[in-house]
Amino acid sequence: MPRHAKTPAPSPDLLPQFDGWFSARGWQPRAHQIAFWQAARAGHDALLIAPTGGGKTLAGFMPSLEDLVTNGGRGKLHTLYMSPLKALAVDIQRNLMQPVEELGLDMRIETRSGDTPQNRKTRQKQNPPDILLTTPEQLALMLSWPEAADYFAALDTIIIDELHALAPNKRGDLLALGLARLATLAPKAKRLGLSATVADKDALRRFLTPQSDGDETAKLIEGTAGAPPSLSILDTKERLPWGSHTARHAMGDVLAAIKNADTSLVFVNTRSQAEMVFRELWALNEGGLEIALHHGSLAPERRRKVEAAMAAGQLRAVVCTSTLDLGIDWGAVDLVIHVGAPKGASRLAQRIGRANHRFDEASAALLVPSNRFEVLECKAARESVAAGEQDGAMMRTGGLDVLAQHIFGTACHAPFDPLALYQEVCRAAPYHDLPRPVFDRVVDFVATGGYALQTYDRYARLRQEKDGRYRLAHPRLATRYRMNVGTIVEAPMLKVRLTRPQKGKRPIRGGRVLGEMEEYFLTALAPGDTFVFAGETLRLEAVRDTEALVSRASHADPKVPTYQGGKFPISTHLAERVRAMLSTPETWDDLPPQVAQWLKMQQAFSALPDKDVLLVESFARGARYYMTAYPFEGRLAHQTLGMLLTRRLERMGGRPMGFVANDYGLAVWGLRDIGLMVEQEKLTLAALFAEDMLGDDLEAWLDESSLMKRTFRDCAMISGLIEKNLPGHEKTGRQVLFSADLIFDVLRSHEPDHILLQAARADAATGLLDIGRLGQMLARIQGKLLLKRLDHISPLAVPLLMEMGKEPVRGAADDELLGEAASTRHDDLVREATQGISGFGHADAV
């Protein structure tokens, strides 16, 4: 018998009122929905994997709705729904309320997120709804309440939506620890997981169920495949850039596609690109089509307004980022437009599913490449989606910084016994194999800060009582925990507040908040500078404390803000397909003519990257020498390779000055000709690209790298060692950075094996550096290196050199930002690349 078994025996039949509600719409429950309801009624933990439009949400909630109708509410929380997105929780509430209101059911369904007003949160705490829709961060906060045991005592069901999006990251770690806590506070509650198709189903089944011996898995129910999507790639009549990520050339085509559809979602990969695309579309929108903007930096009120207008069918298009990736069900959407390469097949399939959210009808999507490389990537993505390939790992080893936050939160709830908490933590799948000594070190860190920090009272958060239990060192620490809970660490942000400037006077505080922007961008501006944000052109008036005061402006060429993070690397599946495409010219017939011509030029002048051979080029440009390589392993792996290559070249006498990387390759430049050094046997490519660079070179670089400091800062904030938000005060980004750097230097000097440094190194290796993927690439190319010494830049190298001035570049001498005075013009590089290559026409035509 399952641990939550109920009577009577399960039946596939719906209650009459729900059966009638289905019938009135001409709906018939699908086989996977019925199987899922049977598993839930029997008290099983269950995972439903079904494609978009397969009715996962209704399948997840129907057992709770039936139980509440049959047995009534108990004045306690009955069902807890977990969502990775605030927008998804709001959308689910809107859709769920339809049958509840139409059937006149007596139940309360509410949402809770960081955007929820405080008075509503207080009411929810005192008088819980029957069903609460929330996020992992809010669950962690609620579990820290002294009343948490009573609050969750009657919990019957936990629904986790879009589980595949939560499990592989630190938010998944936080959720897994929360589920382990709930297994103690509400042991009878069943877990129902909802997920899109994934590669590793068993990993999600383990994640969903409390672990004891590591083999426990939830019951798996799978839906059949829906209609395959209709996926096309824009073949623009405009000149397609060799390199660029703006897609400005295609905005007329995008607007035409919006006009031809009823309602469109225009997905982009970054907030900066969202602002730019919205601005370009609005400039062309002479017909006044209702087009809106949605991304995570906008004020909650603006996002909610857009979501409500979209749900009401009042908009023709929304330009959006990943904030609308998952599960949003807007039935009017009949076209998804993806501007820029999708970077992964799973992400693309998820976004395509936002169109025509119906199981048996094809979703329509248009891919809009920004440059010629992205045409290849889009073609690879289309093939990958058709083949049903899935990206990404589903399981990870739980982060120690997240564990520290959880331990702190548990102490906020009540004093804890370390052995009992260790056993509870090990029931969470990401922490099932956590060694007890490591757990004890994390507890000691939370209690004292660790050996190097234990003399400072400010880091003493826990005290051990005579019976061995740990409790909070002071009650006020609970408030500080709740103000900083969560694992999403963004770059330091400033609120952007609209104000009316008065001539000759300082701008007055007041006006509404448009959203938040990164501090480093705003503080680099001077008063009077203009920039684009929230779909408007704004003038910076002043920066005061944690706010940027702005006014509306009109300016022909405002700056487009940039945001740290948010750039997805190309997935392994897509990279393999692109490499195979490049090495088989017979597959180029269905490429746009200008892309096929570009590849033929590369083939004639240099060589094409082979799927099993690494192409390395060398050429001179101006007073510098360049070396380019094309591994096609993604931006993160290439940035790490660039850092290690510059370090190794410095030792070999190559005198490197810096490097730049994109998803397809990297370029290193310096004062010596690397190709000539290879010909003169002063170095070898085999030694330069040897696998041992991931040993001592990596460790030495990490020890002195500014990237480690940034990673440590994130870990310190997640663990609670550094707090950004304090009662009545919010630290600036500079204050947080200063505190983190100071602690990092202290620990590195006096306790190099500190548990937080250990966590930061693990994060750097698996995240920002992509060490695993780089190691696989180095192993693949051993003995398979091809050097081409060239007279000038090659066609494939043009996109790389265009990145100069836009991306940080790091030299081996000081590992600091070198930068370029200005980015090199696209047309100049194209002319250089085409000189002397006959038979392909004038540079301006290609």
Side-chain angles (χ1 to χ4, degrees), residues 245-247 267-279 319 321 339-341 370 374 560-561 563:
H245 300 286
T246 66
F267 278 107
V268 296
N269 288 330
T270 66
R271 289 168 286 180
S272 177
Q273 194 176 20
E275 292 281 357
M276 189 280 298
V277 168
F278 178 80
R279 176 180 169 80
V319 179
T321 60
V339 178
S370 298
E374 287 194 352
V560 176
Y563 298 85

Side-chain angles (χ1 to χ4, degrees), residues 574-586:
L574 295 197
E576 289 174 352
R577 286 185 176 275
V578 171
R579 283 198 301 268
M581 208 180 302
L582 287 169
S583 60
T584 52
E586 57 271 20

Side-chain angles (χ1 to χ4, degrees), residues 71-99:
N71 300 312
R74 306 174 184 87
K76 296 280 189 179
L77 182 64
H78 179 281
T79 295
L80 184 68
Y81 166 88
M82 306 300 303
S83 162
L85 296 177
K86 292 179 281 189
L88 177 56
V90 172
D91 183 66
I92 293 296
Q93 182 197 30
R94 182 167 48 239
N95 292 331
L96 200 55
M97 287 306 297
Q98 184 178 0

Side-chain angles (χ1 to χ4, degrees), residues 618-641:
S618 69
F619 55 88
R621 187 171 187 272
R624 296 177 180 177
Y625 294 96
Y626 291 80
M627 180 185 76
T628 58
Y630 307 93
F632 289 87
E633 292 294 346
R635 183 184 298 269
L636 298 180
H638 294 164
Q639 286 177 339
T640 304
L641 180 60

Side-chain angles (χ1 to χ4, degrees), residues 95 137 200 263 303 330 432 443 447 486 527 600 612 648 753:
N95 292 331
E137 292 76 19
D200 191 351
T263 311
R303 297 199 305 269
W330 289 329
H432 178 67
V443 172
K600 290 173 183 176
D612 297 318
R648 183 160 284 196
D753 63 342

